[in-house]
Amino acid sequence: EPEVTQTPSHQVTQMGQEVILRCVPISNHLYFYWYRQILGQKVEFLVSFYNNEISEKSEIFDDQFSVERPDGSNFTLKIRSTKLEDSAMYFCASSLQYQPQHFGDGTRLSIL
Amino acid sequence: QKEVEQDPGPLSVPEGAIVSLNCTYSNSAFQYFMWYRQYSRKGPELLMYTYSSGNKEDGRFTAQVDKSSKYISLFIRDSQPSDSATYLCAPAGGAGGTSYGKLTFGQGTILTVHP
């Protein structure tokens, strides 16, 4: 069964450094999403992306965050200057039109 | 009031029991209702999804939506130890009518099914 793939599974970064989280969505999907889950808290929406544009973003998704689909298969989340509070699990999801989202297994981001 | 509320449990049941998991929500714009299962150190795995009010059955799982009372339920029949996981309800509003749009997750209910 097709699946969403995320790399790396665990990323450790110094505070203030830039980090790029990578996702390969399911190949024929058109809608792409990033969510995060801080330890012990609920999964929170960050951003949705369709047709090479951001469709919707949350208050969390401020100027330090950006997303990109650099080629036909990858979808990335960049955090420009990481803070301690960015430590979380980051999940990528993808979907077809009028279909529910399928999630990857996440990248655990640890900021030191 | 939180947009989506879900009792975090934990809920512990014996194997074979019927499990009832519930969520309430406040946003009447929600049209699509998903249930995800999340195992430890894994991403949310889609279990069931329904549109608007009504019931949907898939094997041992039944999802119910009552939009009039803004209440979502997931029933698991003949529960198995492999059902032990966190269950997340996730309604969506279908923003723009082109996709389900962003999901608003509940806190998740931790379920343990013991042999």
Side-chain angles (χ1 to χ4, degrees):
Chain A
E1 185 174 322
E3 57 182 25
V4 176
T5 305
Q6 291 187 243
T7 54
S9 57
H10 188 198
Q11 174 83 45
V12 182
T13 303
Q14 292 287 332
M15 187 172 58
Q17 296 296 304
E18 176 181 287
V19 65
I20 297 176
L21 309 182
R22 302 181 192 278
C23 170
V24 178
I26 295 173
S27 62
N28 60 338
H29 284 188
L30 302 173
Y31 299 84
F32 313 110
Y33 310 83
W34 284 101
Y35 293 80
R36 80 171 184 190
Q37 186 175 30
I38 294 170
L39 186 64
Q41 298 187 23
K42 58 173 66 176
V43 178
E44 299 174 288
F45 169 78
L46 290 177
V47 66
S48 60
F49 191 85
Y50 169 70
N51 200 26
N52 281 319
E53 290 184 343
I54 290 175
S55 311
E56 188 175 2
K57 59 183 181 179
S58 71
E59 292 176 353
I60 304 167
F61 194 88
D62 60 22
D63 291 344
Q64 69 164 147
F65 292 92
S66 61
V67 290
E68 191 179 30
R69 187 151 163 83
D71 53 45
S73 59
N74 290 283
F75 181 51
T76 62
L77 174 70
K78 183 192 289 187
I79 310 175
R80 256 180 286 281
S81 179
T82 50
K83 305 171 191 152
L84 292 175
E85 55 264 37
D86 294 329
S87 296
M89 285 291 293
Y90 287 81
F91 295 108
C92 173
S94 68
S95 73
L96 291 167
Q97 189 177 22
Y98 300 118
Q99 292 296 312
Q101 297 166 35
H102 294 265
F103 284 75
D105 280 338
T107 293
R108 181 156 64 105
L109 179 62
S110 300
I111 307 300
L112 304 180
Chain B
Q1 185 182 10
K2 292 180 183 177
E3 266 200 302
V4 180
E5 295 206 51
Q6 189 176 4
D7 185 343
L11 185 61
S12 180
V13 301
E15 184 174 354
I18 297 174
V19 176
S20 173
L21 304 166
N22 308 294
C23 281
T24 58
Y25 64 92
S26 59
N27 188 345
S28 54
F30 289 147
Q31 296 287 338
Y32 305 93
F33 303 91
M34 272 63 69
W35 282 95
Y36 286 85
R37 177 173 62 192
Q38 187 175 27
Y39 292 113
S40 181
R41 299 182 185 275
K42 293 286 190 179
E45 172 195 359
L46 180 68
L47 265 181
M48 302 278 289
Y49 64 98
T50 55
Y51 172 70
S52 195
S53 283
N55 293 2
K56 184 174 182 179
E57 188 174 320
D58 184 2
R60 296 185 296 111
F61 298 90
T62 300
Q64 283 185 355
V65 176
D66 181 346
K67 288 190 69 182
S68 63
S69 57
K70 299 188 178 69
Y71 197 81
I72 315 165
S73 300
L74 177 71
F75 298 96
I76 307 173
R77 287 183 300 282
D78 188 25
S79 56
Q80 302 295 309
S82 58
D83 294 329
S84 299
T86 299
Y87 288 79
L88 309 169
C89 65
T98 55
S99 174
Y100 282 24
K102 73 174 189 182
L103 298 174
T104 303
F105 282 89
Q107 180 71 28
T109 299
I110 301 169
L111 172 67
T112 302
V113 181
H114 50 88

